[in-house]
Amino acid sequence: MAALMEKAMRIIAVFHKTDGARYISHLDLQRAMQRALRRSHLPVKYTAGFNPHQVMSFATALSLGATSCAEVVDIAMTEPVAEEEFYQQLAPQLPPSLALVEAHAVEGNYPSLTSLLAAADYEINLHLNSLLCKDELDSKLKLLWEAPLLAIKKTKAGPKEIDLRPMVLALRIDSAKPEGNGTRVNLFLRCVNTSAGALNPDLLISCLFEKLQMQGEYDVRRTALWANQKGTAPLWNARKEGSHEA
Amino acid sequence: MNTYEAVEQLLRDVEKPARYSGGEMNAVIKDPAAVDVRFCMCFPDVYEVGMSHLGTKIIYALLNGRADCWCERCCAPWVDMEKAMRDAGVPLFSLESRTPLREFDLLGFTLQYEMSYTNILNMLDLSGIPLRSSDRGEGMPFVCCGGPCACNPEPLAPFADFFMIGDGEEVLCEMADVYKKWKQSGESRDAFLRAVAQLEGVYVPKFYEPQYNADGTFSLMKVEEGFPKRISRRIVKDFNNAFSMESMIVPYMSIVHDRIMLELFRGCTRGCRFCQAGFIYRPVRERRKERLVELAKKLVDSTGYEEISLSSLSSGDYSCLGDLISTLLEEFRRERVSLSLPSLRIDSFVKDYAEEIQSVRKSGLTFAPEAGTQRLRDVINKGVTEEDLIRSVTDAFQSGWSGVKLYFMIGLPTETDEDLDGIADLAAKVRSAYFSVPKDQRAKGLRITVSASSFVPKPCTPFQYCPQNTIEELERKQRYLRDKLRQVKGVEFNYHSPNLSSLEAPFARGDRKMADVLEAAWRKGCRFDSWNDCFHYDLWLEAFAECGVDRAFYAYRQRDPSEKWPWSHIDMHVREEYLLSEYNKATVARCTRDCRKGCNGCFDGESYANYCRISQN
């Protein structure tokens, strides 16, 4: 948590989305955050116009059903607010399922979250319906990566076939243990997530299931959002070394 | 797998899982071991509807305000969730702790509309609780009901262990006290029902046995020794000092009324003869402006809502509305909280308010003349004139609105085709009013929507004696009106099949025999009847036929004033003679004044008149 300054007109907040909140849409989340901010009495900036709303922007949406311990939102203030003050006032106003984790003050001219966002990390907890050990899974994945990993992505222009491999920055099997008649697998995924394009973990998993002819249930948890693909620069400190790599 | 995890599994595949996931802001979590009474407030419709209901919010805050009580919530699961639950064997559960409903002490259902009754049976069944009170054994929760439809509890009598009639604020706490005492005593289920039946406003149907005449009409209620002959509706007398909620749940998902509801007053002084709420919530009881501002502040602080609805049956009638609006707008300027008025009457629509209240602008304006001619508006005692309407819509058009909705009822007592012509005529005059505003002063794109719903005679109103129009007649009137309105350019006509209203009527004024029809319809698969895509009219007809119950007997029969009502043991405090005199005045199109202008003597004398400020002046 690298504080850039004491007080600022913009605060980048990190919060959880778990339990009761995992099934709420992005629009519902925006509304919940707006109401929490109103309860907090923080000097939040409003847009002008007939239907004033708070000036806030989320780094990226989370797919319905996924949980997260690293959602990020940028909130504008009408007067400088200290990180500590922001945290103290907002934290009690958020339900446990949207718990506030950190608050980072940034300068007024700091780039927008959407322009900075480069990658997202996920933990995927899978229960496969078949018995497989970690080595078997590793080699199956390796083999799969030798050819384009084609999946149908729904776009505004209609369904489109894309190769998922360039979107996957890292995919690692952390563990695979037998459980019941199947296998409990923990995956780590780092993938591209920019305003121009992002990999939805659900798409990757369903593609992997199909190619490997496997079935199972899984939970997705987002664990980080990054300003660089290496996963070293947090969104509130994008100038950190290595953040602007090619 | 416990219920929590089992539900979690189901949520992966159902539509709108946020309906069932709970965990909203201000939801109350308590330690079950630390409370004496676990109450589940049940709303027999989907979450979005249930969470919009003011009464549910009040009861939730009231009961959770007690340290010895934990009130949770449950709404009817939508059909996809019901199927998933039945397939997986998951019982109906509360939103807060996902505790199966059958483990609660008490389940409280609110009766807001008759066509939600099948959902009550479905919710009991999904909980594994026997539908009928007589089949519930020791250790089962008590099922209680309240709300406006409880003024005729008979169609639900066999299913409910008890009813609470009238305002819930006081009786619920007394009931909880009786429950707590009974639980400590370790006595039988029957002992609790005997004890709770002694509370004012509580009706325990098992001690009341309806008797019928040979022609099937109700004759009298055989009351077991020691129980009140009449159950007296509870009324909160001092609305300023009575319990008021200061916090409410803020759902994540968008709900029907997603805003703070600030209850300006309870009751209504207008006396529209078709309106049940106008009679069963008497007398009018206003909250002081200062109290309302104080409550509004607390509610904004605790919810963060961006909008406050100034709620009541007729908010334009609030004594110091202008003052209240400007104080609230000033108070919440920084937080950008907007105000809305949900129930404006034509004659109280004031341009000044409308301009200050932005959210009115979003939705367009709705006016409810209810009937097309002055004669019929006098019959129903609506008390507004064509001039009122034209003045109000002209004001609206001048203030920049271009869309208005006009709400009417068809099938009202004494209605003729001339009254339908009057609806088309009014729509045409509204159109002319728009064009009377100079082009550079009005907004573009005139939209006039005419909605016509089918009238259902309700108990405890002056029209309780009236037959409902048959389906054929209502359909003919709809066609007639549709053709008439086609001749008015730019008018959209909305109407619904009268089939649903034709079922509402026998439940509204039905007796205990309707319970069998309800159960039969539910067994055939009826639920969510007020939702078009779930309504199975054919199954309802089968249910009536199988139970040998004639709908026409309840819906289409003119009731003689000498006939006894199946709900006559429920005392709503408005005198029967008053309702009859109002009915007689209706038949000759004579109006009754708004009782703010002078008492009309509706109350039953000694005991309750002193609840009414107006009757004392």
Side-chain angles (χ1 to χ4, degrees), chain A residues 19-24 27-29 31-32 34-36 38-47 50-52 64 78-79 92-98 217-219, chain B residues 4 8-9 11-12 16-18 21-26 98 250-255 258-259 300-307 334-337 355 358-359 361-362:
Chain A
D19 303 327
R22 68 190 288 186
Y23 291 111
I24 69 172
L27 193 68
D28 293 340
L29 173 67
R31 244 192 329 252
Q34 283 177 13
R35 288 165 183 168
R38 191 173 282 104
R39 290 191 291 269
S40 75
H41 296 290
L42 283 161
V44 180
K45 190 175 169 184
Y46 282 83
T47 57
F50 206 69
N51 278 313
L64 212 69
T78 56
E79 55 192 77
Q93 301 308 333
L94 284 164
S97 49
L98 292 177
E217 286 178 336
Y218 63 94
D219 276 313
Chain B
Y4 188 91
E8 211 57 27
Q9 286 292 320
L11 294 187
R12 293 165 184 270
K16 301 188 183 175
S21 52
E24 307 94 324
M25 187 70 202
N26 295 335
R98 293 195 186 165
V250 186
Y252 286 124
M253 71 183 291
S254 167
I255 57 171
D258 208 0
R259 53 190 74 90
V300 170
D301 268 2
S302 66
T303 64
Y305 262 123
E306 56 288 333
E307 184 181 340
R334 198 186 93 133
E335 277 138 328
R336 315 297 203 277
V337 176
E355 276 170 2
Q358 58 155 0
S359 49
R361 191 175 291 263
K362 289 186 226 157

Side-chain angles (χ1 to χ4, degrees), chain B residues 18 62 85 87 101 123 153 160 173-174 186 208 215 249 266 279 291 293 376 378 393 430 528 567 574 599:
Chain B
L62 173 84
M85 288 168 69
D87 288 349
L101 258 54
M123 288 170 82
C173 286
E174 293 166 16
Y208 297 74
D215 63 359
I249 291 172
R266 207 169 282 178
F279 286 89
R291 176 73 176 135
V293 173
L376 192 53
D378 290 345
V393 294
V430 167
F528 286 109
W567 58 89
V574 174
C599 180

Side-chain angles (χ1 to χ4, degrees), chain B residues 231-299:
Chain B
I231 293 96
S232 165
R233 169 171 72 103
R234 295 299 293 265
I235 303 176
V236 169
K237 191 174 177 183
D238 181 353
F239 209 47
N240 277 305
N241 294 309
F243 173 84
S244 321
M245 57 169 182
E246 297 178 354
S247 166
M248 56 192 243
I249 291 172
V250 186
Y252 286 124
M253 71 183 291
S254 167
I255 57 171
V256 181
H257 298 297
D258 208 0
R259 53 190 74 90
I260 290 168
M261 277 180 261
L262 188 64
E263 196 181 8
L264 307 189
F265 58 88
R266 207 169 282 178
C268 179
T269 55
R270 295 283 179 163
C272 301
R273 290 172 181 139
F274 56 86
C275 177
Q276 191 183 45
F279 286 89
I280 65 172
Y281 290 114
R282 289 179 181 215
V284 75
R285 288 151 288 161
E286 285 196 352
R287 282 200 170 108
R288 280 193 315 274
K289 189 197 99 182
E290 295 71 26
R291 176 73 176 135
L292 288 168
V293 173
E294 179 194 333
L295 286 173
K297 276 193 224 171
K298 286 181 174 162
L299 285 164

